[in-house]
Amino acid sequence: GAVVSQHPSWVICKSGTSVKIECRSLDFQATTMFWYRQFPKQSLMLMATSNEGSKATYEQGVEKDKFLINHASLTLSTLTVTSAHPEDSSFYICSARDTRDSTYEQYFGPGTRLTVT
Amino acid sequence: AQKVTQAQTEISVVEKEDVTLDCVYETRDTTYYLFWYKQPPSGELVFLIRRNSFDEQNEISGRYSWNFQKSTSSFNFTITASQVVDSAVYFCALSHTGANSKLTFGKGITLSVRP
């Protein structure tokens, strides 16, 4: 149980274009999902917390207009990187919290590797 | 504010050696969770353990063991008889409890196990 998928697993896009990454909880409902970014040889940095049916909460320093998050259902959150630039190249990881889980544990997706050329 | 410190950045051992990965944390909360995750080269995070702050019992799972010491705010991870497949980056993380809890990760320790 508690499987989280991400699509695509890797994507290459040209500078200036937008790319959308999907995060799905496959066998549970997730009121809350999280988006992380990980640069090479660095730790995971939380970008934003996404709550179903409401606006995402962004961490300090993360541009909300550049990283658009939509959490329209209890099983799907999307992250759109708008007008991507090479510095946005990174490994993006989502996690989801099972609504019924009182421990508030996060289940992680396999990640999406974004390369902007 | 929460903080997780993994002072070791890279560790290299020979297969079958024991290795301990250190984790020190800071939090003002009295109730919190501590985690260890493994990140192999594929990138996917693998959950290893979650420990509640009220449970200070050490835990052993096969070749893995964890030593939680609240008095020193440490949650160290030992791999016994290491294997090449243990080569990965290991992250210690901390979260407070509650609906708005967030995970704070340490910087990670790169473990290389040589044959």
Side-chain angles (χ1 to χ4, degrees):
Chain A
V3 178
V4 177
S5 71
Q6 280 185 244
H7 178 79
S9 54
W10 60 269
V11 58
I12 301 173
C13 71
K14 292 188 176 180
S15 188
T17 62
S18 296
V19 60
K20 180 186 287 188
I21 302 170
E22 293 185 349
C23 176
R24 293 182 185 272
S25 56
L26 298 186
D27 50 1
F28 65 96
Q29 293 187 331
T31 305
T32 304
M33 291 185 173
F34 301 86
W35 286 96
Y36 296 83
R37 180 168 53 181
Q38 185 182 29
F39 291 110
K41 298 189 181 299
Q42 294 189 23
S43 187
L44 283 76
M45 296 301 296
L46 180 65
M47 298 175 66
T49 302
S50 164
N51 287 296
E52 186 265 339
S54 63
K55 289 184 179 180
T57 303
Y58 290 82
E59 295 299 299
Q60 192 172 8
V62 178
E63 299 174 59
K64 59 181 67 176
D65 294 331
K66 180 169 184 62
F67 298 99
L68 302 179
I69 292 172
N70 185 285
H71 192 159
S73 80
L74 286 172
T75 59
L76 173 65
S77 176
T78 60
L79 168 68
T80 301
V81 183
T82 62
S83 187
H85 290 285
E87 56 265 31
D88 298 322
S89 298
S90 187
F91 192 53
Y92 292 86
I93 305 172
C94 75
S95 70
R97 180 177 285 160
D98 188 333
T99 304
R100 304 162 302 175
D101 187 347
S102 60
T103 68
Y104 302 104
E105 184 163 345
Q106 295 181 30
Y107 301 97
F108 286 85
T112 297
R113 199 164 299 278
L114 169 64
T115 302
V116 184
T117 61
Chain B
Q2 301 181 140
K3 185 178 179 181
V4 176
T5 301
Q6 296 181 262
Q8 305 151 308
T9 52
E10 294 185 14
I11 300 175
S12 182
V13 299
V14 177
E15 208 170 17
K16 298 184 183 177
E17 283 185 23
D18 299 346
V19 59
T20 295
L21 311 181
D22 298 333
C23 174
V24 174
Y25 62 92
E26 296 175 31
T27 180
R28 293 180 181 173
D29 295 325
T30 54
T31 305
Y32 50 88
Y33 289 107
L34 293 163
F35 301 81
W36 275 96
Y37 293 91
K38 174 182 179 180
Q39 188 177 41
S42 64
E44 183 163 2
L45 277 180
V46 177
F47 167 82
L48 296 178
I49 190 171
R50 179 186 72 232
R51 177 52 48 120
N52 185 304
S53 56
F54 288 116
D55 182 3
E56 288 193 69
Q57 280 192 344
N58 291 331
E59 180 155 342
I60 298 175
S61 176
R63 296 184 297 107
Y64 295 169
S65 62
W66 291 270
N67 184 339
F68 177 29
Q69 293 203 340
K70 223 169 174 179
S71 59
T72 56
S73 297
S74 65
F75 186 42
N76 297 336
F77 172 32
T78 297
I79 302 174
T80 303
S82 59
Q83 299 176 1
V84 173
V85 293
D86 295 328
S87 298
V89 180
Y90 290 86
F91 292 99
C92 179
L94 165 72
S95 101
H96 60 85
T97 60
N100 296 322
S101 61
K102 302 176 186 179
L103 272 173
T104 300
F105 284 87
K107 292 188 175 182
I109 301 169
T110 300
L111 174 64
S112 299
V113 182
R114 309 187 306 275

